Amino acid sequence: MPPPGMHSQRSDERVVVHKGESLEDLVGLMRGSLSPQRRPSSVAPVSDHQLSALDDVPVPSSFWEEFLIYWLFVLIGVGYLFPFSALTQPVDYWKKLFPDRSLDFDVTATFMYTNLVMLFVLVFASGKSTINFTRRMVGGFLGQFLVLVVVPSSYFLHLHETSNYLLIMGGTAFVAVATAFLDSSVIALAMQYPFSAQQALQVGVGLSTLIGSVYRDITKAAMPRSEVILSSLIYFYTGAVTVLLCLLGYIWLTVLPISKQIQIRRQISLENQLTAQLLEDGEGESEGDGGAKGKEDVSVLSVLTKVGDLHMVIALVFTASLSVWPSLIADLPAFQFESLNDSQWWPLLLLTLFSVMDVVGRSLLFCRFGLTRVTIWVPCLARTLLVPLLVMVKTGGFPLLAPRSDLFVILVVTVMGFTNGHTGSLAIIFVKEAVDQRESNRAGAMSSFFLNFGLVLGASVGLLLKSFVIG
């Protein structure tokens, strides 16, 4: 899609893009300006005014391409968090292999903290805001696939319990690092595409949890308890196949015409920065100061200044959610439908309800219910008040505020699930709308970090509640 006519001028040289010329033409002109025969002082970068024409998100060339973009991002959203679900949900499997260990807790803690530390390094310790999407996406998915094959296959090696434990913990740490590479790039990748891609990614993330919950429901209903090993192994290998499909989906995404447009725009932006750097270096040398550092990259501070409030919303939403899900919600008994306690169906139904409402919330991002980036704090803070209500239901305190009623519990879990999907995802959309296109890589990666920070903080709060408040 050719940009409107634009030009840049410095001294007696110009870089001009006329109407009808393509983005490739602009790249070629810029590369010509960087030829070794030119002196740095004669380099003519494309001006910020000209690059502003590239800030508009490209649009799909057809309905079919738009359809593909949506479902490919749904697939990516489903797959990149599936390994976490696969490692943490089969509690019965871990109990079977390690009866004297709380392996589900060890796996969750190892994954979350390793992932957060690695994500911090990728987002904040990296000096550049530019992201090599293909390297991170392909490497991340391949790492996940490898672990989801190796970890369940260790069962057939008949290892000593300690050796098997160390293998599983090592695999969990490895997949956490691989997932961090995906975390640091997947939201930023969606920000390069139209709004529907961002919504599709969030729907996919919600479906990932829902698929895990539904799968556990199906296996519980269809398979006897004696087959816990078989059902869990099927779950692991299904996750491996899903991740492999996600990798193929990403590769398919990269060959779409709109993806080629996006890649060309990224080339223009990067080469314009290089042009400006050569120019400033030349000017610095002429002044005898040893050269300038060139045009500054998008800084963490500049993005935080713009959207730090939204990142706090993202962190708080997922802190509240993980404070009660899955640990506290799974511990709530049925008060009226007591038969569901004996069959252990009640916690599964509550967790599934949360996941269903989470997907519903993510699917309704086109409906903002009057919320803006200023008012998004209202539902964020309101849903946080639901955490102590669930604690009081569990402990039996303040029955007027938190009655021990199955209907009340269903209502609270429904609201928590819906706002987790809608409020959390809408805050990420507001981040995209508040930054420039050149800032989207940095902003997207930071959104992923604060989301994961909220998950880790919430899980830690949930552990404290279970240990010292609920008992």
PDB file of all heavy atoms in Angstrom, residues 314-343:
ATOM      1  N   ILE A 314      -3.044  -3.241  34.277  1.00  0.00           N
ATOM      2  CA  ILE A 314      -2.812  -4.610  33.811  1.00  0.00           C
ATOM      3  C   ILE A 314      -2.296  -5.478  34.960  1.00  0.00           C
ATOM      4  O   ILE A 314      -2.786  -6.594  35.198  1.00  0.00           O
ATOM      5  CB  ILE A 314      -1.820  -4.612  32.631  1.00  0.00           C
ATOM      6  CG1 ILE A 314      -2.433  -3.918  31.411  1.00  0.00           C
ATOM      7  CG2 ILE A 314      -1.398  -6.040  32.284  1.00  0.00           C
ATOM      8  CD1 ILE A 314      -1.445  -3.649  30.294  1.00  0.00           C
ATOM      9  N   ALA A 315      -1.301  -4.970  35.684  1.00  0.00           N
ATOM     10  CA  ALA A 315      -0.727  -5.744  36.791  1.00  0.00           C
ATOM     11  C   ALA A 315      -1.760  -6.005  37.881  1.00  0.00           C
ATOM     12  O   ALA A 315      -1.856  -7.128  38.407  1.00  0.00           O
ATOM     13  CB  ALA A 315       0.484  -5.005  37.369  1.00  0.00           C
ATOM     14  N   LEU A 316      -2.568  -4.991  38.210  1.00  0.00           N
ATOM     15  CA  LEU A 316      -3.538  -5.144  39.291  1.00  0.00           C
ATOM     16  C   LEU A 316      -4.661  -6.114  38.922  1.00  0.00           C
ATOM     17  O   LEU A 316      -5.128  -6.893  39.769  1.00  0.00           O
ATOM     18  CB  LEU A 316      -4.122  -3.778  39.659  1.00  0.00           C
ATOM     19  CG  LEU A 316      -5.058  -3.746  40.881  1.00  0.00           C
ATOM     20  CD1 LEU A 316      -4.355  -4.316  42.107  1.00  0.00           C
ATOM     21  CD2 LEU A 316      -5.535  -2.324  41.152  1.00  0.00           C
ATOM     22  N   VAL A 317      -5.100  -6.077  37.668  1.00  0.00           N
ATOM     23  CA  VAL A 317      -6.152  -6.999  37.224  1.00  0.00           C
ATOM     24  C   VAL A 317      -5.714  -8.449  37.433  1.00  0.00           C
ATOM     25  O   VAL A 317      -6.455  -9.270  38.014  1.00  0.00           O
ATOM     26  CB  VAL A 317      -6.504  -6.755  35.740  1.00  0.00           C
ATOM     27  CG1 VAL A 317      -7.324  -7.926  35.180  1.00  0.00           C
ATOM     28  CG2 VAL A 317      -7.290  -5.467  35.578  1.00  0.00           C
ATOM     29  N   PHE A 318      -4.507  -8.770  37.004  1.00  0.00           N
ATOM     30  CA  PHE A 318      -4.080 -10.166  37.076  1.00  0.00           C
ATOM     31  C   PHE A 318      -3.573 -10.546  38.465  1.00  0.00           C
ATOM     32  O   PHE A 318      -3.563 -11.731  38.815  1.00  0.00           O
ATOM     33  CB  PHE A 318      -3.043 -10.441  35.991  1.00  0.00           C
ATOM     34  CG  PHE A 318      -3.640 -10.374  34.611  1.00  0.00           C
ATOM     35  CD1 PHE A 318      -3.485  -9.240  33.821  1.00  0.00           C
ATOM     36  CD2 PHE A 318      -4.401 -11.415  34.122  1.00  0.00           C
ATOM     37  CE1 PHE A 318      -4.071  -9.166  32.559  1.00  0.00           C
ATOM     38  CE2 PHE A 318      -4.987 -11.353  32.869  1.00  0.00           C
ATOM     39  CZ  PHE A 318      -4.822 -10.227  32.085  1.00  0.00           C
ATOM     40  N   THR A 319      -3.180  -9.550  39.262  1.00  0.00           N
ATOM     41  CA  THR A 319      -2.872  -9.836  40.662  1.00  0.00           C
ATOM     42  C   THR A 319      -4.126 -10.290  41.388  1.00  0.00           C
ATOM     43  O   THR A 319      -4.115 -11.294  42.131  1.00  0.00           O
ATOM     44  CB  THR A 319      -2.298  -8.586  41.358  1.00  0.00           C
ATOM     45  OG1 THR A 319      -1.058  -8.225  40.744  1.00  0.00           O
ATOM     46  CG2 THR A 319      -2.043  -8.861  42.836  1.00  0.00           C
ATOM     47  N   ALA A 320      -5.226  -9.567  41.196  1.00  0.00           N
ATOM     48  CA  ALA A 320      -6.494  -9.942  41.838  1.00  0.00           C
ATOM     49  C   ALA A 320      -6.963 -11.311  41.370  1.00  0.00           C
ATOM     50  O   ALA A 320      -7.429 -12.131  42.176  1.00  0.00           O
ATOM     51  CB  ALA A 320      -7.553  -8.882  41.550  1.00  0.00           C
ATOM     52  N   SER A 321      -6.837 -11.577  40.069  1.00  0.00           N
ATOM     53  CA  SER A 321      -7.312 -12.863  39.535  1.00  0.00           C
ATOM     54  C   SER A 321      -6.535 -14.037  40.106  1.00  0.00           C
ATOM     55  O   SER A 321      -7.117 -15.034  40.562  1.00  0.00           O
ATOM     56  CB  SER A 321      -7.212 -12.858  38.007  1.00  0.00           C
ATOM     57  OG  SER A 321      -8.066 -11.894  37.440  1.00  0.00           O
ATOM     58  N   LEU A 322      -5.207 -13.943  40.085  1.00  0.00           N
ATOM     59  CA  LEU A 322      -4.390 -15.066  40.553  1.00  0.00           C
ATOM     60  C   LEU A 322      -4.406 -15.209  42.070  1.00  0.00           C
ATOM     61  O   LEU A 322      -3.950 -16.234  42.594  1.00  0.00           O
ATOM     62  CB  LEU A 322      -2.963 -14.912  40.038  1.00  0.00           C
ATOM     63  CG  LEU A 322      -2.637 -15.612  38.710  1.00  0.00           C
ATOM     64  CD1 LEU A 322      -2.606 -17.127  38.893  1.00  0.00           C
ATOM     65  CD2 LEU A 322      -3.635 -15.245  37.627  1.00  0.00           C
ATOM     66  N   SER A 323      -4.927 -14.201  42.777  1.00  0.00           N
ATOM     67  CA  SER A 323      -5.075 -14.331  44.228  1.00  0.00           C
ATOM     68  C   SER A 323      -6.128 -15.378  44.577  1.00  0.00           C
ATOM     69  O   SER A 323      -6.061 -15.999  45.644  1.00  0.00           O
ATOM     70  CB  SER A 323      -5.468 -12.981  44.844  1.00  0.00           C
ATOM     71  OG  SER A 323      -4.471 -12.008  44.632  1.00  0.00           O
ATOM     72  N   VAL A 324      -7.089 -15.570  43.687  1.00  0.00           N
ATOM     73  CA  VAL A 324      -8.193 -16.510  43.975  1.00  0.00           C
ATOM     74  C   VAL A 324      -8.270 -17.666  42.984  1.00  0.00           C
ATOM     75  O   VAL A 324      -8.914 -18.682  43.261  1.00  0.00           O
ATOM     76  CB  VAL A 324      -9.547 -15.766  43.980  1.00  0.00           C
ATOM     77  CG1 VAL A 324      -9.555 -14.714  45.080  1.00  0.00           C
ATOM     78  CG2 VAL A 324      -9.845 -15.117  42.633  1.00  0.00           C
ATOM     79  N   TRP A 325      -7.630 -17.516  41.815  1.00  0.00           N
ATOM     80  CA  TRP A 325      -7.706 -18.556  40.787  1.00  0.00           C
ATOM     81  C   TRP A 325      -6.323 -19.143  40.547  1.00  0.00           C
ATOM     82  O   TRP A 325      -5.368 -18.392  40.339  1.00  0.00           O
ATOM     83  CB  TRP A 325      -8.220 -17.951  39.474  1.00  0.00           C
ATOM     84  CG  TRP A 325      -8.405 -18.971  38.383  1.00  0.00           C
ATOM     85  CD1 TRP A 325      -9.535 -19.651  38.058  1.00  0.00           C
ATOM     86  CD2 TRP A 325      -7.405 -19.428  37.447  1.00  0.00           C
ATOM     87  NE1 TRP A 325      -9.318 -20.496  36.998  1.00  0.00           N
ATOM     88  CE2 TRP A 325      -8.002 -20.385  36.609  1.00  0.00           C
ATOM     89  CE3 TRP A 325      -6.056 -19.139  37.251  1.00  0.00           C
ATOM     90  CZ2 TRP A 325      -7.316 -21.040  35.595  1.00  0.00           C
ATOM     91  CZ3 TRP A 325      -5.355 -19.797  36.251  1.00  0.00           C
ATOM     92  CH2 TRP A 325      -5.990 -20.729  35.422  1.00  0.00           C
ATOM     93  N   PRO A 326      -6.172 -20.443  40.587  1.00  0.00           N
ATOM     94  CA  PRO A 326      -7.235 -21.438  40.818  1.00  0.00           C
ATOM     95  C   PRO A 326      -7.374 -21.880  42.275  1.00  0.00           C
ATOM     96  O   PRO A 326      -8.326 -22.546  42.626  1.00  0.00           O
ATOM     97  CB  PRO A 326      -6.773 -22.603  39.954  1.00  0.00           C
ATOM     98  CG  PRO A 326      -5.281 -22.529  40.021  1.00  0.00           C
ATOM     99  CD  PRO A 326      -4.926 -21.065  40.117  1.00  0.00           C
ATOM    100  N   SER A 327      -6.388 -21.510  43.137  1.00  0.00           N
ATOM    101  CA  SER A 327      -6.297 -22.138  44.463  1.00  0.00           C
ATOM    102  C   SER A 327      -7.535 -21.930  45.329  1.00  0.00           C
ATOM    103  O   SER A 327      -8.136 -22.895  45.825  1.00  0.00           O
ATOM    104  CB  SER A 327      -5.052 -21.612  45.187  1.00  0.00           C
ATOM    105  OG  SER A 327      -5.106 -20.190  45.276  1.00  0.00           O
ATOM    106  N   LEU A 328      -7.939 -20.656  45.542  1.00  0.00           N
ATOM    107  CA  LEU A 328      -9.065 -20.392  46.440  1.00  0.00           C
ATOM    108  C   LEU A 328     -10.383 -20.871  45.844  1.00  0.00           C
ATOM    109  O   LEU A 328     -11.210 -21.478  46.528  1.00  0.00           O
ATOM    110  CB  LEU A 328      -9.139 -18.893  46.755  1.00  0.00           C
ATOM    111  CG  LEU A 328     -10.319 -18.446  47.627  1.00  0.00           C
ATOM    112  CD1 LEU A 328     -10.354 -19.221  48.935  1.00  0.00           C
ATOM    113  CD2 LEU A 328     -10.243 -16.944  47.882  1.00  0.00           C
ATOM    114  N   ILE A 329     -10.590 -20.604  44.546  1.00  0.00           N
ATOM    115  CA  ILE A 329     -11.832 -21.035  43.900  1.00  0.00           C
ATOM    116  C   ILE A 329     -11.969 -22.557  43.956  1.00  0.00           C
ATOM    117  O   ILE A 329     -13.060 -23.092  44.200  1.00  0.00           O
ATOM    118  CB  ILE A 329     -11.883 -20.526  42.439  1.00  0.00           C
ATOM    119  CG1 ILE A 329     -12.016 -18.999  42.426  1.00  0.00           C
ATOM    120  CG2 ILE A 329     -13.036 -21.168  41.682  1.00  0.00           C
ATOM    121  CD1 ILE A 329     -12.001 -18.400  41.032  1.00  0.00           C
ATOM    122  N   ALA A 330     -10.870 -23.263  43.755  1.00  0.00           N
ATOM    123  CA  ALA A 330     -10.917 -24.732  43.787  1.00  0.00           C
ATOM    124  C   ALA A 330     -11.171 -25.269  45.188  1.00  0.00           C
ATOM    125  O   ALA A 330     -11.611 -26.419  45.351  1.00  0.00           O
ATOM    126  CB  ALA A 330      -9.611 -25.297  43.239  1.00  0.00           C
ATOM    127  N   ASP A 331     -10.895 -24.457  46.235  1.00  0.00           N
ATOM    128  CA  ASP A 331     -11.100 -24.897  47.615  1.00  0.00           C
ATOM    129  C   ASP A 331     -12.496 -24.581  48.146  1.00  0.00           C
ATOM    130  O   ASP A 331     -12.849 -25.017  49.244  1.00  0.00           O
ATOM    131  CB  ASP A 331     -10.067 -24.243  48.538  1.00  0.00           C
ATOM    132  CG  ASP A 331      -8.727 -24.957  48.482  1.00  0.00           C
ATOM    133  OD1 ASP A 331      -8.698 -26.087  47.973  1.00  0.00           O
ATOM    134  OD2 ASP A 331      -7.733 -24.378  48.936  1.00  0.00           O
ATOM    135  N   LEU A 332     -13.285 -23.810  47.411  1.00  0.00           N
ATOM    136  CA  LEU A 332     -14.623 -23.454  47.884  1.00  0.00           C
ATOM    137  C   LEU A 332     -15.547 -24.672  47.795  1.00  0.00           C
ATOM    138  O   LEU A 332     -15.667 -25.286  46.728  1.00  0.00           O
ATOM    139  CB  LEU A 332     -15.201 -22.311  47.049  1.00  0.00           C
ATOM    140  CG  LEU A 332     -14.538 -20.937  47.222  1.00  0.00           C
ATOM    141  CD1 LEU A 332     -15.115 -19.952  46.208  1.00  0.00           C
ATOM    142  CD2 LEU A 332     -14.736 -20.418  48.642  1.00  0.00           C
ATOM    143  N   PRO A 333     -16.206 -25.023  48.865  1.00  0.00           N
ATOM    144  CA  PRO A 333     -17.141 -26.162  48.810  1.00  0.00           C
ATOM    145  C   PRO A 333     -18.505 -25.714  48.296  1.00  0.00           C
ATOM    146  O   PRO A 333     -18.834 -24.527  48.286  1.00  0.00           O
ATOM    147  CB  PRO A 333     -17.243 -26.587  50.277  1.00  0.00           C
ATOM    148  CG  PRO A 333     -17.055 -25.305  51.043  1.00  0.00           C
ATOM    149  CD  PRO A 333     -16.083 -24.476  50.242  1.00  0.00           C
ATOM    150  N   ALA A 334     -19.284 -26.681  47.844  1.00  0.00           N
ATOM    151  CA  ALA A 334     -20.682 -26.407  47.490  1.00  0.00           C
ATOM    152  C   ALA A 334     -21.508 -26.448  48.770  1.00  0.00           C
ATOM    153  O   ALA A 334     -21.405 -27.391  49.558  1.00  0.00           O
ATOM    154  CB  ALA A 334     -21.181 -27.436  46.487  1.00  0.00           C
ATOM    155  N   PHE A 335     -22.307 -25.422  48.987  1.00  0.00           N
ATOM    156  CA  PHE A 335     -23.083 -25.326  50.223  1.00  0.00           C
ATOM    157  C   PHE A 335     -24.488 -25.912  50.070  1.00  0.00           C
ATOM    158  O   PHE A 335     -25.049 -26.448  51.027  1.00  0.00           O
ATOM    159  CB  PHE A 335     -23.169 -23.868  50.674  1.00  0.00           C
ATOM    160  CG  PHE A 335     -21.827 -23.253  50.936  1.00  0.00           C
ATOM    161  CD1 PHE A 335     -21.269 -22.352  50.045  1.00  0.00           C
ATOM    162  CD2 PHE A 335     -21.108 -23.595  52.071  1.00  0.00           C
ATOM    163  CE1 PHE A 335     -20.024 -21.787  50.272  1.00  0.00           C
ATOM    164  CE2 PHE A 335     -19.852 -23.035  52.320  1.00  0.00           C
ATOM    165  CZ  PHE A 335     -19.303 -22.126  51.411  1.00  0.00           C
ATOM    166  N   GLN A 336     -25.080 -25.748  48.911  1.00  0.00           N
ATOM    167  CA  GLN A 336     -26.405 -26.316  48.653  1.00  0.00           C
ATOM    168  C   GLN A 336     -26.321 -27.624  47.852  1.00  0.00           C
ATOM    169  O   GLN A 336     -27.010 -28.580  48.139  1.00  0.00           O
ATOM    170  CB  GLN A 336     -27.297 -25.306  47.914  1.00  0.00           C
ATOM    171  CG  GLN A 336     -27.862 -24.201  48.811  1.00  0.00           C
ATOM    172  CD  GLN A 336     -26.813 -23.171  49.225  1.00  0.00           C
ATOM    173  OE1 GLN A 336     -26.094 -22.660  48.372  1.00  0.00           O
ATOM    174  NE2 GLN A 336     -26.746 -22.863  50.517  1.00  0.00           N
ATOM    175  N   PHE A 337     -25.447 -27.665  46.848  1.00  0.00           N
ATOM    176  CA  PHE A 337     -25.283 -28.867  46.016  1.00  0.00           C
ATOM    177  C   PHE A 337     -24.161 -29.731  46.594  1.00  0.00           C
ATOM    178  O   PHE A 337     -23.104 -29.906  45.973  1.00  0.00           O
ATOM    179  CB  PHE A 337     -24.992 -28.487  44.569  1.00  0.00           C
ATOM    180  CG  PHE A 337     -26.048 -27.623  43.941  1.00  0.00           C
ATOM    181  CD1 PHE A 337     -25.870 -26.251  43.809  1.00  0.00           C
ATOM    182  CD2 PHE A 337     -27.238 -28.173  43.487  1.00  0.00           C
ATOM    183  CE1 PHE A 337     -26.842 -25.451  43.232  1.00  0.00           C
ATOM    184  CE2 PHE A 337     -28.216 -27.378  42.907  1.00  0.00           C
ATOM    185  CZ  PHE A 337     -28.023 -26.019  42.788  1.00  0.00           C
ATOM    186  N   GLU A 338     -24.377 -30.258  47.780  1.00  0.00           N
ATOM    187  CA  GLU A 338     -23.314 -30.953  48.506  1.00  0.00           C
ATOM    188  C   GLU A 338     -22.838 -32.221  47.813  1.00  0.00           C
ATOM    189  O   GLU A 338     -21.702 -32.661  48.016  1.00  0.00           O
ATOM    190  CB  GLU A 338     -23.780 -31.272  49.923  1.00  0.00           C
ATOM    191  CG  GLU A 338     -24.047 -30.018  50.755  1.00  0.00           C
ATOM    192  CD  GLU A 338     -24.465 -30.364  52.176  1.00  0.00           C
ATOM    193  OE1 GLU A 338     -24.517 -31.584  52.501  1.00  0.00           O
ATOM    194  OE2 GLU A 338     -24.739 -29.441  52.957  1.00  0.00           O
ATOM    195  N   SER A 339     -23.693 -32.828  46.998  1.00  0.00           N
ATOM    196  CA  SER A 339     -23.284 -34.057  46.303  1.00  0.00           C
ATOM    197  C   SER A 339     -22.116 -33.796  45.354  1.00  0.00           C
ATOM    198  O   SER A 339     -21.347 -34.725  45.047  1.00  0.00           O
ATOM    199  CB  SER A 339     -24.470 -34.638  45.526  1.00  0.00           C
ATOM    200  OG  SER A 339     -24.926 -33.718  44.536  1.00  0.00           O
ATOM    201  N   LEU A 340     -21.966 -32.542  44.884  1.00  0.00           N
ATOM    202  CA  LEU A 340     -20.871 -32.213  43.980  1.00  0.00           C
ATOM    203  C   LEU A 340     -19.527 -32.148  44.699  1.00  0.00           C
ATOM    204  O   LEU A 340     -18.480 -32.160  44.056  1.00  0.00           O
ATOM    205  CB  LEU A 340     -21.147 -30.869  43.293  1.00  0.00           C
ATOM    206  CG  LEU A 340     -22.353 -30.828  42.351  1.00  0.00           C
ATOM    207  CD1 LEU A 340     -22.573 -29.414  41.816  1.00  0.00           C
ATOM    208  CD2 LEU A 340     -22.161 -31.802  41.195  1.00  0.00           C
ATOM    209  N   ASN A 341     -19.562 -32.101  46.051  1.00  0.00           N
ATOM    210  CA  ASN A 341     -18.310 -32.131  46.813  1.00  0.00           C
ATOM    211  C   ASN A 341     -17.707 -33.526  46.815  1.00  0.00           C
ATOM    212  O   ASN A 341     -16.502 -33.703  46.627  1.00  0.00           O
ATOM    213  CB  ASN A 341     -18.553 -31.663  48.252  1.00  0.00           C
ATOM    214  CG  ASN A 341     -18.935 -30.196  48.333  1.00  0.00           C
ATOM    215  OD1 ASN A 341     -18.470 -29.381  47.532  1.00  0.00           O
ATOM    216  ND2 ASN A 341     -19.777 -29.853  49.300  1.00  0.00           N
ATOM    217  N   ASP A 342     -18.556 -34.527  47.018  1.00  0.00           N
ATOM    218  CA  ASP A 342     -18.067 -35.901  47.081  1.00  0.00           C
ATOM    219  C   ASP A 342     -17.485 -36.356  45.743  1.00  0.00           C
ATOM    220  O   ASP A 342     -16.487 -37.075  45.690  1.00  0.00           O
ATOM    221  CB  ASP A 342     -19.199 -36.846  47.498  1.00  0.00           C
ATOM    222  CG  ASP A 342     -19.712 -36.541  48.896  1.00  0.00           C
ATOM    223  OD1 ASP A 342     -18.918 -36.019  49.705  1.00  0.00           O
ATOM    224  OD2 ASP A 342     -20.901 -36.810  49.171  1.00  0.00           O
ATOM    225  N   SER A 343     -18.110 -35.938  44.659  1.00  0.00           N
ATOM    226  CA  SER A 343     -17.627 -36.326  43.329  1.00  0.00           C
ATOM    227  C   SER A 343     -16.515 -35.415  42.826  1.00  0.00           C
ATOM    228  O   SER A 343     -15.941 -35.665  41.766  1.00  0.00           O
ATOM    229  CB  SER A 343     -18.786 -36.290  42.325  1.00  0.00           C
ATOM    230  OG  SER A 343     -19.303 -34.965  42.209  1.00  0.00           O
TER     231      SER A 343
END
